[in-house]
Amino acid sequence: MASWDVFRELDNLRREIDEAFRGAGLNRPFGTAVLSPATARRFPLVNFSEDEGHIYVEALVPGVDPKEIDLSVLRNTVTISGERKPFVEQQGQIVHRSELGSGKFSRTLELPADIDPNNISAECRDGIMTVTMAKAEHAKPKKIDIRPA
């Protein structure tokens, strides 16, 4: 059973309002930065899928050192947290845009099934972290043979 989260509801409302204005050809004049407090809850962006035996999370973490990412699993949730370091301006350099965003982030995803906490792996390549979690034996589908009567 999913719990009600006021911040998630407010974030959904904000996205719906943004979509409504975008559909009218208007954009908000000051879009939120990638890792502002409002959007940090949605960073990193993820793909979330499952098959018969595993649950997969692909998280977009460009510019984040994999050693700086904290991945934890507690019951039916997985949390990805870390920090994207800020852009460092070099002496004599003129910065025209700085849109990449920086700061701490943490995202918690509710898993659709129980997992085996001893059978989780994660790797990071080209800014995408892939987490593979084996489903707990009791959460895997079981084929039941039907005997003719």
Side-chain angles (χ1 to χ4, degrees), residues 18 31 38 40 42-44 51 59 61 66-68 74 76 82 95 110-112 114 127 131 134 139 149:
D18 285 350
R42 290 187 295 133
F43 187 87
D51 60 20
V61 288
K67 296 174 190 160
E68 302 288 324
L74 178 63
N76 66 336
V95 177
E110 189 171 335
L111 302 173
D114 289 341
V131 183

Side-chain angles (χ1 to χ4, degrees), residues 71-88:
L71 176 68
S72 62
V73 175
L74 178 63
R75 284 179 283 216
N76 66 336
T77 62
V78 60
T79 300
I80 303 166
S81 56
E83 181 175 8
R84 181 188 275 171
K85 302 293 183 198
F87 174 75
V88 178

Side-chain angles (χ1 to χ4, degrees), residues 8 10-20 42:
R8 183 175 29 199
L10 288 172
D11 198 43
N12 288 338
L13 177 62
R14 183 195 54 78
R15 275 188 270 150
E16 288 178 20
I17 291 171
D18 285 350
E19 285 299 317
R42 290 187 295 133

Side-chain angles (χ1 to χ4, degrees), residues 17-121:
I17 291 171
D18 285 350
E19 285 299 317
F21 279 100
R22 194 172 298 127
L26 302 172
N27 286 325
R28 293 186 317 149
F30 302 104
T32 55
V34 171
L35 297 179
S36 70
T39 58
R41 289 188 311 274
R42 290 187 295 133
F43 187 87
L45 298 175
V46 298
N47 287 339
F48 194 16
S49 61
E50 69 176 304
D51 60 20
E52 201 169 280
H54 295 86
I55 297 172
Y56 306 95
V57 175
E58 292 177 320
L60 196 59
V61 288
V64 180
D65 184 348
K67 296 174 190 160
E68 302 288 324
I69 297 173
D70 184 36
L71 176 68
S72 62
V73 175
L74 178 63
R75 284 179 283 216
N76 66 336
T77 62
V78 60
T79 300
I80 303 166
S81 56
E83 181 175 8
R84 181 188 275 171
K85 302 293 183 198
F87 174 75
V88 178
E89 188 176 333
Q90 304 296 319
Q91 187 173 4
Q93 188 178 34
I94 299 171
V95 177
H96 294 283
R97 286 184 185 255
S98 179
E99 299 178 340
L100 297 180
S102 62
K104 293 184 178 183
F105 61 87
S106 181
R107 184 154 185 198
T108 299
L109 302 166
E110 189 171 335
L111 302 173
D114 289 341
I115 59 167
D116 177 358
N118 298 316
N119 200 351
I120 300 171
S121 64

